[in-house]
Amino acid sequence: MKLSNTLQGYQKDWLSADISAGLIVAIVIVPQAIAYAMLAGLPPQSGLYAALLPAIFYALAGTSPTLAVGPVAVVSLMTLESVKAFAAPGSDDFIALSATLALLVAAFYLLYFMVDLGRWTTFISHSVISAFTSAAAILILLNQIKYFTGLSIPRSGHVWEPLTYSASHSSEIVPQALMISVLGLLLLWGWQRYAARLLARSALPKSVTNILAKAGPLLLVGGGIIATQAGQLPVSTVGHIPGGLPSLQFPALFSHDWQGLLPSAAVIALIGYLESLSVGNSMARAQGIRLQANQELLALALANAASAISRGYPVAGGFGRSMVNFSAGARSQMSSIVMASTLALVCLFATDWFATLPHAILGVIVALAVWPLIRFQDGWHAWRFRKSDGLVWLATFTAVLLMGAEQGILLGMMLSLALYLKRTSEPHIAEIGRFADSDHFRNVLRHQVTTCPEVLMVRIDENLYFANSQFLLDYIAQRLQDKPQVRHVVLVGSAINYIDFSGFEALSHLLSELHDKQIELHLAEFKGPVMDQINKTDLLERLQPGRVFFTASEALRHLGNV
């Protein structure tokens, strides 16, 4: 397989745009990385490390020129849920296991790459992904309540614990933390909504206005730090962040309970890939390019391996940062290298600046980042279109809230598969007839068509396989019971693209039953690949005097003179 990336064939006139975009994304990612590390139960430097080397390693193999890989909200939450069963959040063991989890995620990405999983991602329905991200976003928002209120809310595992605990301990809420949170939410929301259009009216250069329009989180961080230092506010803060670059070391697999992390790693890799691919494809369409879906798995494997050896945790392509990178005019993954270089300077020289950053500010940044992920309208639209799809959305959403991220998405996938099998086991089957004087055939229940009393023409609108073969036999048996004068049955296979052995056995059984009733079976409009399979058997010999017709029109004209 020939691999390529967006750095091949690099053009010099791209450099200024990539440098500008990289600097803008660096402004966004510093507070986000710290906030997402907090969400994952890790110290702030883990988020910075997870945003550093992974971005560079993705650039070496990624096929999206603007996808920004690093810590993301949903994967951060899943990391917390996965690792806290084995170690206390924030402890040395928790940090080590999070790096181990990133290595296992990288291994699963590599496995998915080898089995060409990129071709199979469509088996996970949009309803499952939408419900999962919506529920995960709500869990993330609930996790921020402790920072908004300044309360030490225990981790009981009950989804509504942050709300109930806050209500029962309302007298203990820290007013300063609540005030910072409310003001921060209003200011950051207003900046994201109005800053760009207001700055566009100013006389500032466009390059400056682009940076300022995306600098809302960093400005909020600066304001929070100044307010805390100047007012000596009694709120919890980030505290000391060790300076310097991460020391590179391979996670010690055999000194931890890494086997227990395998199911979580498999699910995190799948979710991270789907999120990354969704974001990458949305930008690729606007850029007029096409991502190499399977190579993205390899690129994400490299990124997560880099995070593991640099004491980070699982990473993926983030929607917010990627869209900032795209709108800032990035032309290639050189922008990610610029971002990582800038972040390295922060790690070396500026970590002390964030020691007095209030946790409430980080909670605000996380809350506004995940709010767009809550999409109840997707569930409503799915329900209106098909109730079974709405049921999948609701079941997945509820399961993620009550059972956890991994169990919820697995339940959603299993329910989707079960409903799919149910639908295909009871396919649409229609008795058809000639429409007017044309060669078109339509359902006798929907249209005024011409039929022949002695010819029953049946069309099955589904592949013929083990789950629905008996349904076809029952349908034809019922129609023959209602029409005893039938002497010919024509099975129209225009919608059959695949037939398995059970489907063949059903045709063979149908042929035998019809012979016993002195009724001839005929086939019409069966496709070449299906006929290739049938030709491997003796069915066509046993079919005689029944025939194989090229079209349904030919069959009705020959058998019924219609």
Side-chain angles (χ1 to χ4, degrees), residues 95-114:
I95 297 171
L97 280 172
S98 297
T100 300
L101 180 62
L103 185 64
L104 294 176
V105 168
F108 274 105
Y109 274 130
L110 188 59
L111 175 63
Y112 296 162
F113 169 74
M114 294 171 64

Side-chain angles (χ1 to χ4, degrees), residues 329-414:
R331 303 298 300 274
S332 75
Q333 281 296 322
M334 182 60 71
S335 65
S336 293
I337 295 176
V338 173
M339 180 278 299
S341 301
T342 306
L343 185 58
L345 294 176
V346 172
C347 291
L348 285 170
F349 305 111
T351 55
D352 288 342
W353 297 356
F354 300 94
T356 56
L357 172 61
H359 282 135
I361 294 296
L362 296 177
V364 167
I365 293 172
V366 172
L368 286 182
V370 302
W371 181 260
L373 299 179
I374 303 175
R375 297 182 58 84
F376 291 117
Q377 65 269 31
D378 286 354
W380 172 242
H381 292 159
W383 178 267
R384 291 185 62 189
F385 185 79
R386 189 191 293 271
K387 286 183 171 53
S388 60
D389 291 335
L391 177 63
V392 168
W393 195 99
L394 181 61
T396 304
F397 178 83
T398 305
V400 171
L401 286 180
L402 300 181
M403 301 166 58
E406 297 164 31
Q407 294 86 346
I409 195 168
L410 288 175
L411 184 143
M413 292 167 60
M414 292 175 61

Side-chain angles (χ1 to χ4, degrees), residues 293-306:
N294 209 51
Q295 188 176 326
E296 287 296 296
L297 288 165
L298 178 61
L300 289 170
L302 292 175
N304 278 274

Side-chain angles (χ1 to χ4, degrees), residues 64-67 280 282-291 326 330-331:
S64 170
T66 50
L67 187 68
S282 66
M283 295 183 296
R285 286 190 288 269
Q287 295 163 318
I289 63 173
R290 188 176 183 85
L291 300 187
F326 171 73
R331 303 298 300 274

Side-chain angles (χ1 to χ4, degrees), residues 69-296:
V69 171
V72 296
V74 173
V75 172
S76 297
L77 174 67
M78 296 181 72
T79 298
L80 172 65
E81 296 297 322
S82 303
V83 183
K84 73 178 183 181
F86 302 96
S91 65
D92 290 341
D93 283 345
F94 191 93
I95 297 171
L97 280 172
S98 297
T100 300
L101 180 62
L103 185 64
L104 294 176
V105 168
F108 274 105
Y109 274 130
L110 188 59
L111 175 63
Y112 296 162
F113 169 74
M114 294 171 64
V115 300
D116 200 7
L117 183 74
R119 299 184 180 184
W120 300 90
T121 53
T122 53
F123 279 85
I124 304 177
S125 72
H126 174 72
S127 292
V128 171
I129 298 301
S130 171
F132 167 78
T133 54
S134 296
I138 289 176
L139 291 175
I140 291 169
L141 288 175
L142 291 173
N143 277 338
Q144 306 315 303
I145 291 178
K146 59 186 175 185
Y147 304 117
F148 295 158
T149 61
L151 295 173
S152 298
I153 300 176
R155 298 179 184 272
S156 67
H158 190 276
V159 63
W160 305 117
E161 179 69 18
L163 292 176
T164 57
Y165 187 91
S166 299
S168 60
H169 294 77
S170 57
S171 61
E172 302 172 20
I173 292 176
V174 180
Q176 293 87 344
L178 189 60
M179 179 183 66
I180 289 175
S181 301
V182 172
L183 288 177
L185 284 169
L186 292 174
L187 290 172
L188 188 54
W189 175 81
W191 190 275
Q192 292 176 345
R193 189 174 182 87
Y194 300 111
R197 70 179 72 168
L198 292 175
L199 288 168
R201 300 173 185 172
S202 69
L204 294 172
K206 186 176 181 181
S207 58
V208 176
T209 59
N210 283 340
I211 292 176
L212 289 176
K214 309 300 181 184
L218 193 61
L219 294 175
L220 182 63
V221 165
I225 292 172
I226 293 171
T228 304
Q229 291 178 345
Q232 297 294 312
L233 301 179
V235 295
S236 63
T237 59
V238 170
H240 174 66
I241 303 176
L245 299 177
S247 59
L248 304 183
Q249 59 184 34
F250 196 83
L253 282 176
F254 299 102
S255 63
H256 299 289
D257 297 326
W258 62 273
Q259 297 93 334
L261 294 173
L262 285 172
S264 300
V267 176
I268 290 173
L270 183 61
I271 294 301
Y273 175 63
L274 291 173
E275 181 176 355
S276 303
L277 195 64
S278 175
V279 176
N281 278 331
S282 66
M283 295 183 296
R285 286 190 288 269
Q287 295 163 318
I289 63 173
R290 188 176 183 85
L291 300 187
Q292 298 178 29
N294 209 51
Q295 188 176 326
E296 287 296 296

